[in-house]
Amino acid sequence: MITRFGQSLVDLSRGTRDLWQVYVSTLAGIIRRGRRPRGELARQMFAIGNRSLVFIIVTLGFIGMVMTYEACLQLSTVTGDFSQLGMQFIRLVVSDFGPTLTALMLATRVGAGIAAEIGSMKVTEQVDALRMSGVLPIDYLIVPRFLASIIMTLVLSVIGGTVMYLAGGLTAKYSFGVNPNLFFDLELLRLRHVGLFVVKALAYGAAIPIVAGFCGLRARGSSEGVGWATTAAVIGGSFAVIILDFVLSAAALFVFGGDL
Amino acid sequence: MSGYVEWKAVHKSFNGRAVLRGMNLAVQKGEVLFIIGTSGVGKSVTIKLLLGLLRADAGEIWFDGQRVDQLPERALAGLRRRIGMVFQSSTLFDSMTLAENVALPLRRHQGLSHTKAVAEARERLGAVFMAEHADRFPAELSDGMRKRAAIARTLALGPDVVLFDEPTTGLDPVSARRIDQLIRSLATTGITPIVVSHDPPSIFGVADRVAFIYQGVVHTLATPAELEASADPVVQQFIQGRSAGPMETPGF
């Protein structure tokens, strides 16, 4: 039992070290402008951004509706005062829910796709063939996805957050008769909330392809290995988003204190 | 006698399971060496260790008088220019045409422009009778055609040694014999082919020498004729493909 526990710790520390190496190698790949297929960045931006658009709009729209409905329900049974509802909601959407929920959705759709693609290449020896061709797999496979994910997570977070806010406003109006002028009030929104939004979106956008690429590159065997990599990428990516959310929110709270 | 390519007391394990247990093997320049053995015995591992695609746990690997098993990844680029590998599956990149696939190592290793590399790639594809398919994608071709294109990609850099990992597996007999011919013809041009194979017609029709790996070491190193005449019951069981016999096959 102790041996197994020790082995698990060793495996965990090795995994963490390898994940860190993938991250550092990706940054190094960006700096040295390593070899990657022509037009690959645009292709990846399309795959990550455009192909996730409907998914993000639908899921964040519904989440916005549910959250507002629940908030209105609670308020109506306690105070019946909806004056702060929209102001608080946009503050939450911008500083947390917009980028975080968008990233959680992307961790499933994009993370699984990246891990499956790279994992398939790994088990069919295409990654080895890249190395034989003098191409570093990180430069070729992960760097374009990393850059595309950073850009498109930010864009999708803006779209997702906007949809969430609008859906919440419509739900408040048609379910509880909340005046839209009252709901769509940005009085409590500050530049620091927008700053936190951007930082979170960029951090999530960076984490998802790194975790997914790492899982893909660790795929072994055959289709079973690809399946494992895909599952691990979804779990790891979601986990990374939640941990980053906690760390960045705590850091913001530390910097801005009660003003956040 | 030291070899052009040499494995010295090489050990390699995966998840605690020893695959190679002090394997020694020397390959001479210009000979066609076949590595044979049961599935999972470490044949592909042996050739991947030479290229640094896998790392040995212990032992030494030498190529042309230079120790290569400790080279860092960056230094391996030079080695991979001189030693090419044709993988078991064709490993062509699906998003590229055949010409672009063959051009990739030319661009990367020789620094050719895209246009020059693609032009050169078309010539290389012509050498394996694939020039007319240069603009097609791998998914549009048969296994044999993909394999030939993969060989063209490997030969594009003019390697001194070419490693083949089960080159005839999954091919029809005619395509398989054409691949055999190609391997044999490489040796006449000064290239040293090292071939991992299970295919008896290839082994006995093409090899100069055969290394039979069993229980993590080279059990027998012999010419095809010597191997056929061997009195060793393990060797006989393997080359005759008998299920009953003294050979231990883990997992069966």
Side-chain angles (χ1 to χ4, degrees), chain B residues 14 31-32 37 82 86 88 111 114 132 146 153 177 199-200:
Chain B
F14 293 95
E31 75 168 327
V32 182
R82 297 189 61 195
V86 179
Q88 194 169 346
H114 179 76
E132 63 192 283
R146 281 202 292 265
R153 183 176 65 182
R177 299 295 75 82
D199 186 11

Side-chain angles (χ1 to χ4, degrees), chain B residues 99-110:
Chain B
E100 287 168 341
N101 263 284
V102 178
L104 181 64
L106 291 168
R107 290 167 60 199
R108 187 64 187 160
H109 282 298
Q110 296 185 348

